[in-house]
Amino acid sequence: MSTGTVTVWAALPSPTQSVWQLGPLPLRAYALCIIAGIVAAAVLTERRWVARGGAPGDVLDIAVWAVPFGIVGGRLYHVLSSPRPYFGEGGDPLRALAIWEGGLGIWGAIALGGVGAWIACRRRGIPLPAFADALAPGLLVAQAIGRLGNWFNNELYGRATDLPWALTVYEWTGTQAAVGPDGQPLVLGTFHPTFLYELLWNLAAAAVVVWADRRFRLSHGRAFALYVALYCAGRLWIELLRTDPAETIGGVRLNVYTSVVVGLLAVAYLVWQRGRPREVVTRGSVAADTRSRPTDEGDTAPAVAPGTAEARDGEDPGGDGVRRHPDT
């Protein structure tokens, strides 16, 4: 494979197509990856939430609110942080609505998705921090799967490199690689696969959050804060490798500043909430008890047992029979 006068002997491949036609219906790899990530997050969160004492079905009820809010927030952040393709010279403002082409900013998705989750949790009497703790690892897995969409789109790569794991990137037409006179896709070059770096970082961070949650019985949003801190740490060094167009302040990409500020706030929250015992969530047991009764006494189970908003040291609020050490 050649790139002008440079011969690429070995590199990670990239897809040459990101959209397939199923009759009149276009199947877009980016959208499929986002959907797969949402499904994975919902499945993992359901298991963790039920294990915490939540009622089955709570996750789906909250996702109905959180996912649309998150998609809108993610797109808004992307457009505001990279406005030139839409509002710059030669830009097309209507393309700001074309979410299927790619471009969702995680910061906006988490912020506005959190608003949607808050609304849903408030409607069902669920403490948002406890639910966020159950959600944290699933979000990281969803983000990892979503990064595969960037791979299909030949986007979000880093600086040029000839390392053994360099990524081959093609000249792109929007949906597929440009083709030369010989009928072969035109290679733009080989670059750092920053999408892959973030994918692997997110999966490792998800494992750390699950471990820390079990080891230290994180509560009151601390598992979510740990997720944010770990993600920001990874995003910081990965962002410094990227070369795609982005808004900058003093020559530094906007997302670098965001990673630093949000990451420090997450660490501060972890310290601030240190030592608080885990909430006792009883929605699952109460819902099961309600279903076993012959009369209907309401369709909303309380999220936390009355008078037991926080567990005492050494107790087992999860109902799994295992006594654990208090949070440290």
Side-chain angles (χ1 to χ4, degrees):
M1 186 181 300
S2 63
T3 60
T5 60
V6 179
T7 300
V8 180
W9 296 105
L12 298 176
S14 287
T16 58
Q17 186 175 357
S18 64
V19 180
W20 300 268
Q21 289 295 138
L22 185 60
L25 178 66
L27 296 179
R28 300 179 182 275
Y30 184 87
L32 293 176
C33 290
I34 295 297
I35 293 171
I38 292 171
V39 171
V43 171
L44 291 173
T45 304
E46 175 80 3
R47 293 183 61 181
R48 285 175 53 81
W49 179 240
V50 171
R52 282 285 304 270
D58 282 344
V59 172
L60 182 59
D61 292 338
I62 295 172
V64 168
W65 286 85
V67 170
F69 273 69
I71 291 175
V72 172
R75 188 59 175 180
L76 282 174
Y77 183 89
H78 167 73
V79 172
L80 291 175
S81 61
S82 301
R84 284 177 238 173
Y86 312 104
F87 306 108
E89 184 178 353
D92 181 3
L94 290 179
R95 285 187 58 211
L97 303 175
I99 296 177
W100 54 87
E101 293 182 357
L104 291 174
I106 185 60
W107 314 111
I110 295 299
L112 208 51
V115 173
W118 175 79
I119 293 173
C121 285
R122 186 175 177 84
R123 287 166 58 91
R124 297 193 60 84
I126 295 172
L128 180 60
F131 182 80
D133 285 339
L135 172 66
L139 273 180
L140 283 162
V141 172
Q143 289 174 239
I145 296 173
R147 281 304 179 208
L148 292 174
N150 302 130
W151 177 55
F152 275 99
N153 283 351
N154 278 237
E155 62 186 2
L156 299 194
Y157 48 85
R159 296 193 295 264
T161 182
D162 57 359
L163 290 169
W165 56 86
L167 177 72
T168 299
V169 176
Y170 298 103
E171 294 187 22
W172 206 245
T173 65
T175 60
Q176 61 186 18
V179 177
D182 59 355
Q184 297 299 311
L186 297 175
V187 177
L188 186 63
T190 58
F191 304 86
H192 278 282
T194 49
F195 87 90
L196 180 60
Y197 298 163
E198 187 172 330
L199 185 157
L200 296 175
W201 181 274
N202 287 344
L203 292 178
V208 171
V209 172
V210 169
W211 169 82
D213 194 28
R214 291 176 177 175
R215 173 65 180 83
F216 302 111
R217 297 184 55 73
L218 301 177
S219 63
H220 299 278
R222 292 183 71 215
F224 190 85
L226 179 60
Y227 143 64
V228 173
L230 290 173
Y231 177 75
C232 288
R235 185 63 181 265
L236 177 61
W237 67 266
I238 292 170
E239 197 71 28
L240 293 173
L241 290 174
R242 285 172 54 174
T243 57
D244 53 301
E247 291 299 299
T248 61
I249 300 176
V252 179
R253 296 167 68 94
L254 175 62
N255 281 330
V256 172
Y257 292 105
T258 306
S259 297
V260 172
V261 172
V262 175
L264 290 176
L265 289 174
V267 172
Y269 185 88
L270 276 167
V271 175
W272 177 44
Q273 295 292 321
R274 185 176 185 271
R276 296 189 67 180
R278 179 174 288 199
E279 309 94 325
V280 181
V281 180
T282 60
R283 286 183 57 83
S285 58
V286 173
D289 182 62
T290 301
R291 287 193 298 269
S292 67
R293 295 176 183 175
T295 58
D296 182 13
E297 300 182 9
D299 60 356
T300 303
V304 181
T308 57
E310 296 182 345
R312 292 183 295 275
D313 290 350
E315 286 190 344
D316 171 36
D320 58 5
V322 179
R323 293 174 64 87
R324 300 182 177 89
H325 295 292
D327 190 13
T328 57

